[in-house]
């Protein structure tokens, strides 16, 4: 605290990221990073770009990366143009821009009560009014809770992750479309940080719904959390709006190396597919082993499991595992998820180490 702070800074409630410990050899299953490294082609491109050209500013439009993203999704049959893509310094920055630019409205923003905790932080930062919509008894998003019969509940926008975080539960695309059909007067943002681990992207809907914006990140399924690249895909008019905000904040959110590396990550589809497959098969393995030990996990379409043990508190398990060098995420609140642990799917060896540590503990 300092007398030089404004009252506004004094009252901010910042996001608390998962720990990035300096100790090596920890089994780190706490921040949903990918267990394998990025595509070797990504590393190659970064090495090749580390030269005197770094004296120049990067392309402020990141065209090469936007084109690679448009080509990737067009190749999947979704007909996305480069002008429908926005990129930023991690999807957190993309989210920050769209909260600031699109969600400050007369009616409150709606999002789930249990969800990515950064949404509330942005509402504080940009002074956006919001209402938390409780997840249902199965800790799932029920689109009906955002509607009032055929009509939407009054709102200045709707946002949720799909799959949701930290639950990992997936909402089928048909339910997202049901929401879009009813809710035509405000922006709907689907945060697809984890979509590649088991869901169908709502990018397939952006050409039919001009109020739909889909955000994604290269931090999880493309194993580039350290490079900071996120994106949004939507109607050109929404992307124009995001560009106006970006160019009023920082014209060069992505550096030269990130632009080239991000493009390479979208081009190497084989590496990407293999990485996702490994995570999915290890998720199934971990799920089975946890169930055999009495854990109850929500069905996950993400690269993590959200789980609890009826006979052990979440905090005692998290503490016991930490003492054995394994870290995971225990949020501890709200009440409904107080005993849940969020466990990132690791490598084969890490997942085995986790199960062995649990066997010692239980
Ligand atoms: C990880 C995550 C993000 C942020 O991703 P970055 O691109 O690393 O900033 C956004 N939303 C959700 C739901 C996430 O889990």
């Amino acid at each position: 605290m300092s007398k030089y702070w404004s009252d506004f800074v004094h009252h901010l409630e910042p996001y608390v990221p998962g720990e990035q410990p300096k100790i090596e050899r920890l089994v780190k299953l706490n921040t949903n990073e990918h267990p394998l490294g990025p595509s070797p082609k990504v590393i190659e491109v970064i090495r090749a770009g580390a030269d005197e050209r770094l004296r120049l500013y990067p392309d402020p439009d990141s065209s090469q990366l936007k084109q690679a993203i448009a080509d990737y999704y067009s190749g999947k049959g979704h007909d996305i143009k480069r002008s429908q893509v926005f990129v930023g310094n991690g999807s957190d920055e993309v989210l920050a821009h769209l909260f600031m630019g699109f969600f400050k409205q007369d009616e409150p923003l709606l999002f789930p009560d249990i969800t990515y905790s950064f949404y509330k932080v942005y509402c504080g930062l940009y002074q956006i009014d919001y209402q938390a919509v409780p997840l249902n008894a199965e800790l799932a998003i029920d689109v009906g809770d955002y509607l009032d019969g055929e009509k939407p509940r009054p709102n200045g926008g709707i946002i949720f992750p799909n799959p949701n975080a930290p639950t990992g539960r997936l909402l089928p695309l048909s339910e997202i479309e049901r929401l879009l059909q009813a809710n035509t007067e405000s922006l709907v943002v689907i945060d697809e940080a984890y979509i590649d681990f088991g869901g169908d992207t709502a990018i397939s809907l952006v050409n039919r719904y001009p109020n739909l914006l889909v955000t994604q990140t290269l931090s999880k399924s493309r194993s580039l959390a350290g490079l900071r690249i996120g994106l949004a895909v939507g109607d050109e008019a929404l992307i124009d709006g995001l560009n106006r905000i970006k160019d009023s904040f920082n014209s060069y959110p992505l550096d030269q190396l990130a632009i080239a590396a991000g493009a390479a990550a979208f081009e190497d589809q084989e590496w990407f597919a293999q990485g996702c497959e490994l995570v999915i098969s290890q998720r199934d393995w971990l799920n089975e082993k946890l169930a055999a030990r009495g854990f109850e996990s929500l069905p996950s379409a993400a690269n993590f499991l959200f789980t609890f043990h009826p006979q052990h508190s979440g905090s005692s398990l998290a503490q016991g595992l930490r003492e054995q060098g394994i870290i995971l995420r225990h949020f501890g609140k709200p009440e409904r998820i107080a005993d849940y642990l969020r466990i990132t799917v690791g490598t084969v060896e890490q997942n085995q180490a986790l199960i062995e540590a649990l066997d010692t503990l239980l």
Side-chain angles (χ1 to χ4, degrees), residues 95-122:
L95 290 167
H97 286 342
L98 70 88
F99 268 71
M100 176 164 61
F102 301 147
F103 284 154
K104 193 158 183 176
Q105 305 286 350
D106 295 334
E107 299 289 348
L109 173 67
L110 304 182
F111 53 77
D113 64 338
I114 296 167
T115 194
Y116 188 38
S117 51
F118 228 134
Y119 300 159
K120 219 180 268 184
V121 174
Y122 292 136

Side-chain angles (χ1 to χ4, degrees), residues 277-293:
E277 270 165 39
L278 170 87
V279 169
I280 292 165
S281 69
Q282 279 298 298
R283 179 181 72 209
D284 292 345
W285 182 87
L286 203 52
N287 198 10
E288 239 173 69
K289 299 289 167 191
L290 289 172
R293 285 155 182 81

